[in-house]
Amino acid sequence: MDKIDHYIRISQLIAREVNYELTTEEKLELDNWLNESKENLDLYHSIRNREKFLDWDQQLHQINTEKGWDRFESTIKPHWSINTFKTVLRYAAVILIPLFLSGIGYFIYNDISSLPQQHGQVKDQKQMKPMARLILADGSKVNLENQENVALKEKDGTLIEKDAGRLKYQNKANEDSKVLYNTVEIPNGANYQLCLTDGTKVYLNSMSALKFPTQFSGKTREVQLTGEAYFEVVKDKEHPFLVNVSGTRIEVLGTSFNVKAYSDENEIVTTLVEGSVKVNPSEVDKSTLLKPGQQAVVDVKKEGILVQDVDVNLFTSWKDGVFLFKAKRLEDIMNELTRWYDLKVFYMNPAVKDLRFGGHFNKDEEFESIMEMFELTRKINIEVNGKTILISAK
Amino acid sequence: MKRKTKEFQQFFERFYPMLCLFAQKYVQDSDVAADMVQESFIKLWKGKDDFENQSAVKAFLYTVTRNNCLNYLKHNKIVLDYSLQVMEKDLFYRDHIIEQETYMAIHDAIEVLPSQGKRVVEMSMRGIKNPEIAERLSISVNTVKSVKANAYRLLRLRLQDVVVLLIMFVFL
């Protein structure tokens, strides 16, 4: 058995070397193996031939796995109970789609372009959700979910263009009128994109709201956020952009960054992609300046602030419609999933909350198949009852 | 070994294609290869063996498939003695396992990319240059570049995890 582990290890090293550079130790490990024998070196060169990989890839697609399983299934059928047969029927939908399962079963992905049937199911499931809406200065509400393109006009004359999934505020010449505030609220299962009058772009995540003036006036550009948003702020040194989020103020000159501050998480996480931002927690005198690739975590209760280096992809992939996790606690993953899928999660054993998972899947994915993927890791049992999820230890 | 069908099926679907390609290295004929792999899975299903982890199951499947193939070749006297001698060597066995495993790892990492990134990477692996990719997908060359950069960053992230997490995965 040791042998095969060694073969797999070498394979992984070569695969990784194809796509990016190895760490120094890994490089050394691979080099040592290559220097062991001429056979190793020959094998290495033969594998690293791109044409050969492409041929292999083509052959792989010619294998009819479905037919193979049908044959296998008919051979072993007599051993099955009625129950297991039901299970297979339940999974029949899954067999038909090119379901990816990585070597460790952790990575989760379906190519939505090849999944028309499943797409339909997702839509059905999302029909009954609350609306994304815009609340105008006088309190009137505009449904943001119909696909029509419309232009609205605020009391101060600001023009607001709405098209599918996006709102754009037009800059207005005269600035004498008093400041009006609009609010955009996004329920679970939706994202929304806003373009403010200064050209700043805001991507609002599920269960989030942003309050902002229809026109920026005065020395600063100030907005109020609850939940999560990704900002691409237009540079204007004279008028710093300020994000207020449960008592913490984030000061920006011109930059892209993500702020996550859901009330059930008791922390405000600011992740900087480019530029620079200053994070000022309330009642803490010192402010913290972030560099690109850094993240500030403000603990709302303790009023502490922690700065760490992170992979920003993990914190911003949501705006591109992707869930991306890496060694993340199950409870944190589930919190994120509930905001998108409107679920209730119950943990039968508190310890499972701390299990860590990595994964990657599109937000169009049906949640049942995501839950099945978690089960396949064999770390946890998941029971789905409509919108209620019960998670227990294996 | 618990015989939970749905889990077995997921496992089957995951490893059947690469085992078929592995078997083809011995028997050449794709239908015969499929038969050989089929027998290996039946042996795994009916067997009483306990496996510690996924690689132990893989080792079982590779070994049994190899033996099935060699027996088939000997029994049917299809290949020359010389070819058979080469195929019987451990090195032949080892080389093809490493080839399958490497290609599968690369394939898996590409497969989980967001769909646009996946298309861009696949095209550029086929030697198609950025301007042509841009034209085919009706996007700008700069977008191709940034999609590519992002895709390679994700690939890197994934392949890193595979190595770390492989150790954690327990099949049964």
Side-chain angles (χ1 to χ4, degrees):
Chain A
M1 293 310 123
D2 292 339
K3 252 195 218 165
I4 188 106
D5 284 334
H6 181 60
Y7 297 163
I8 293 172
R9 172 72 183 161
I10 295 300
S11 308
Q12 298 290 354
L13 289 175
I14 302 173
R16 293 172 60 186
E17 204 201 22
V18 170
N19 284 287
Y20 81 111
E21 280 173 41
L22 297 171
T23 65
T24 322
E25 296 99 66
E26 287 164 351
K27 184 92 183 72
L28 197 69
E29 191 183 342
L30 185 59
D31 284 346
N32 283 341
W33 180 79
L34 292 174
N35 291 330
E36 263 172 33
S37 68
K38 190 179 168 299
E39 283 86 359
N40 292 358
L41 202 63
D42 287 347
L43 174 64
Y44 172 81
H45 288 305
S46 116
I47 286 178
R48 286 215 54 171
N49 178 325
R50 189 164 75 180
E51 295 301 318
K52 202 173 168 190
F53 171 74
L54 293 172
D55 284 348
W56 176 90
D57 199 45
Q58 207 156 22
Q59 284 170 23
L60 188 79
H61 285 107
Q62 281 161 9
I63 303 291
N64 192 338
T65 308
E66 213 183 309
K67 193 176 144 199
W69 173 255
D70 287 348
R71 280 177 65 201
F72 176 78
E73 185 195 305
S74 59
T75 317
I76 59 166
K77 220 173 206 168
H79 302 278
W80 289 8
S81 68
I82 287 160
N83 264 345
T84 48
F85 200 74
K86 263 191 206 154
T87 319
V88 170
L89 289 178
R90 223 183 98 221
Y91 278 78
V94 184
I95 309 169
L96 294 173
I97 56 178
L99 207 156
F100 166 78
L101 187 67
S102 85
I104 33 66
Y106 271 53
F107 297 113
I108 302 150
Y109 173 76
N110 269 321
D111 188 332
I112 44 167
S113 58
S114 59
L115 291 175
Q117 320 92 318
Q118 206 188 15
H119 224 49
Q121 286 172 357
V122 175
K123 276 197 186 118
D124 293 345
Q125 174 205 323
K126 282 184 183 167
Q127 262 167 10
M128 293 303 290
K129 67 183 183 202
M131 301 289 182
R133 59 190 189 174
L134 163 68
I135 301 162
L136 297 169
D138 65 358
S140 57
K141 296 175 178 78
V142 180
N143 175 8
L144 295 178
E145 288 193 5
N146 61 42
Q147 301 292 303
E148 291 158 45
N149 297 358
V150 284
L152 306 163
K153 199 172 190 180
E154 253 297 4
K155 293 269 155 44
D156 63 353
T158 307
L159 270 180
I160 309 164
E161 284 172 33
K162 174 196 161 297
D163 51 43
R166 197 178 69 118
L167 274 182
K168 190 171 192 297
Y169 281 71
Q170 298 285 359
N171 203 353
K172 185 172 61 90
N174 60 328
E175 290 181 8
D176 48 354
S177 55
K178 94 181 216 285
V179 181
L180 296 181
Y181 286 93
N182 282 186
T183 304
V184 172
E185 292 178 350
I186 308 302
N188 48 33
N191 288 340
Y192 216 81
Q193 195 186 326
L194 273 166
C195 187
L196 304 178
T197 44
D198 64 338
T200 291
K201 278 189 192 148
V202 186
Y203 300 80
L204 264 178
N205 204 349
S206 319
M207 299 181 82
S208 303
L210 189 78
K211 189 180 172 190
F212 52 94
T214 57
Q215 296 289 329
F216 289 114
S217 57
K219 283 183 185 143
T220 57
R221 297 172 282 166
E222 255 183 279
V223 299
Q224 183 83 40
L225 171 74
T226 52
E228 180 165 24
Y230 181 85
F231 293 87
E232 285 172 10
V233 176
V234 167
K235 209 169 213 168
D236 180 358
K237 276 190 181 160
E238 308 295 310
H239 303 93
F241 194 95
L242 301 175
V243 181
N244 292 303
V245 47
S246 25
T248 289
R249 165 176 279 199
I250 300 154
E251 191 182 326
V252 189
L253 294 173
T255 190
S256 299
F257 64 104
N258 191 75
V259 181
K260 181 160 160 268
Y262 286 105
S263 51
D264 56 348
E265 289 188 349
N266 289 319
E267 57 182 28
I268 300 162
V269 184
T270 308
T271 311
L272 184 62
V273 178
E274 54 181 63
S276 75
V277 299
K278 212 189 272 178
V279 180
N280 287 319
S282 59
E283 292 158 40
V284 174
D285 273 347
K286 61 167 190 227
S287 60
T288 304
L289 194 68
L290 291 186
K291 288 185 201 129
Q294 282 189 334
Q295 178 178 74
V297 182
V298 175
D299 188 314
V300 175
K301 282 180 182 159
K302 289 182 210 148
E303 293 289 350
I305 183 162
L306 167 83
V307 175
Q308 54 195 9
D309 291 323
V310 294
D311 178 347
V312 295
N313 274 325
L314 296 172
F315 299 90
T316 58
S317 67
W318 64 266
K319 77 177 171 66
D320 306 315
V322 173
F323 287 113
L324 188 61
F325 307 119
K326 193 177 168 186
K328 193 167 178 169
R329 288 179 64 249
L330 182 65
E331 190 182 21
D332 296 337
I333 294 175
M334 287 299 163
N335 281 344
E336 205 168 311
L337 292 181
T338 12
R339 278 183 211 116
W340 187 249
Y341 291 111
D342 187 24
L343 308 171
K344 281 213 158 54
V345 182
F346 296 97
Y347 301 92
M348 310 305 279
N349 325 72
V352 297
K353 292 180 181 179
D354 292 318
L355 289 175
R356 285 174 187 270
F357 293 86
H360 173 280
F361 46 90
N362 284 333
K363 287 185 157 184
D364 295 48
E365 186 68 84
E366 213 185 334
F367 81 85
E368 282 90 347
S369 45
I370 295 171
M371 295 301 118
E372 278 162 15
M373 287 294 127
F374 274 100
E375 277 213 294
L376 283 170
T377 64
R378 294 163 179 273
K379 300 272 179 205
I380 48 176
N381 284 319
I382 295 185
E383 211 178 299
V384 180
N385 270 320
K387 297 255 171 196
T388 309
I389 312 280
L390 291 178
I391 303 181
S392 53
K394 199 79 177 176
Chain B
M1 177 179 164
K2 280 187 294 175
R3 273 170 205 84
K4 278 199 178 173
T5 317
K6 79 169 185 194
E7 282 155 1
F8 197 88
Q9 184 181 345
Q10 297 286 359
F11 188 80
F12 182 96
E13 285 171 357
R14 163 87 185 138
F15 293 107
Y16 179 83
M18 65 191 287
L19 274 169
C20 283
L21 294 189
F22 174 77
Q24 282 178 28
K25 299 289 180 188
Y26 288 89
V27 295
Q28 313 297 327
D29 182 311
S30 60
D31 289 336
V32 177
D35 289 345
M36 300 296 117
V37 174
Q38 159 98 355
E39 278 177 35
S40 308
F41 274 107
I42 291 171
K43 191 165 180 189
L44 176 68
W45 176 266
K46 291 187 174 166
K48 299 212 169 8
D49 313 70
D50 278 324
F51 295 99
E52 261 174 35
N53 53 38
Q54 193 186 4
S55 52
V57 187
K58 269 190 184 175
F60 175 89
L61 287 170
Y62 278 128
T63 313
V64 173
T65 303
R66 175 182 92 143
N67 294 342
N68 290 345
C69 291
L70 291 176
N71 286 339
Y72 173 86
L73 292 174
K74 277 180 206 162
H75 187 76
N76 293 285
K77 297 196 169 51
I78 296 170
V79 291
L80 298 172
D81 281 352
Y82 172 73
S83 313
L84 199 58
Q85 276 168 19
V86 173
M87 287 179 183
E88 280 179 320
K89 281 190 177 143
D90 282 347
L91 194 65
F92 187 89
Y93 174 68
R94 180 202 81 156
D95 284 2
H96 287 104
I97 290 178
I98 294 183
E99 187 183 302
Q100 296 303 322
E101 292 288 332
T102 306
Y103 287 168
M104 205 63 204
I106 297 171
H107 173 267
D108 286 352
I110 296 171
E111 198 66 18
V112 296
L113 288 173
S115 52
Q116 196 180 45
K118 190 178 145 193
R119 278 197 293 272
V120 170
V121 168
E122 278 171 351
M123 280 192 238
S124 77
M125 285 186 87
R126 292 193 154 73
I128 302 169
K129 297 277 172 272
N130 287 351
E132 201 189 329
I133 297 177
E135 206 183 299
R136 287 199 195 180
L137 297 177
S138 321
I139 52 178
S140 73
V141 176
N142 276 336
T143 310
V144 173
K145 282 183 192 160
S146 71
V147 168
K148 219 191 236 182
N150 196 38
Y152 283 123
R153 201 160 57 221
L154 288 172
L155 279 181
R156 185 179 136 173
L157 194 74
R158 291 263 162 62
L159 286 166
Q160 230 168 359
D161 275 7
V162 169
V163 178
V164 179
L165 295 176
L166 193 73
I167 303 154
M168 292 165 52
F169 183 84
V170 178
F171 177 56
L172 293 168

